Amino acid sequence: MFNIGPAELLVILLLALIIFGPGKLPEVGRALGRTINEFRRASQEIETASRPSPPAKASQPAAPEPPANQGESGQTSPGQDVAQVPTPPAGGSPDGGERAKDGSPGESGGHAA
């Protein structure tokens, strides 16, 4: 793109030294480097965003793991209790209150009038 050789680069650096001075030149160089890095990062992000993503490979679902209290054969070992899920109390309501057949609270679960 640019055909800059060592002689041209030396002339540019000499002009920058004369214009900015020896005290300000490191700050200018740092700012220029940060700007170039930021530009590269932004251009890479745009490139990756514009590329179509590769299609996902169809993976096989993992086999379900046996519960912790079962051996490799899948049967419960003697002396081990099988955990049971608690059942809701009789009465139809999970909170234990009685409900009428229409879904409204019964006598014990209603508001006092």
Side-chain angles (χ1 to χ4, degrees), residues 62-86:
E65 294 181 19
N69 62 349
Q70 292 181 354
E72 290 182 18
S73 64
Q75 296 183 4
T76 308
S77 303
Q80 289 183 334
D81 293 333
V82 178
Q84 294 182 353
V85 177

Side-chain angles (χ1 to χ4, degrees), residues 22-73:
K24 198 81 163 163
L25 198 57
E27 292 175 27
V28 172
R30 241 181 266 121
L32 183 63
R34 288 179 186 152
T35 304
I36 291 171
N37 283 339
E38 194 171 321
F39 179 76
R40 284 182 185 166
R41 239 182 270 130
S43 64
Q44 285 176 352
E45 286 177 9
I46 291 171
E47 262 185 46
T48 56
S50 65
R51 283 187 203 150
S53 61
K57 294 181 181 179
S59 62
Q60 296 177 352
E65 294 181 19
N69 62 349
Q70 292 181 354
E72 290 182 18
S73 64

Side-chain angles (χ1 to χ4, degrees), residues 84-107:
Q84 294 182 353
V85 177
T87 57
S93 165
D95 62 353
E98 295 181 19
R99 295 200 176 266
K101 289 184 180 182
D102 63 354
S104 62
E107 293 178 20

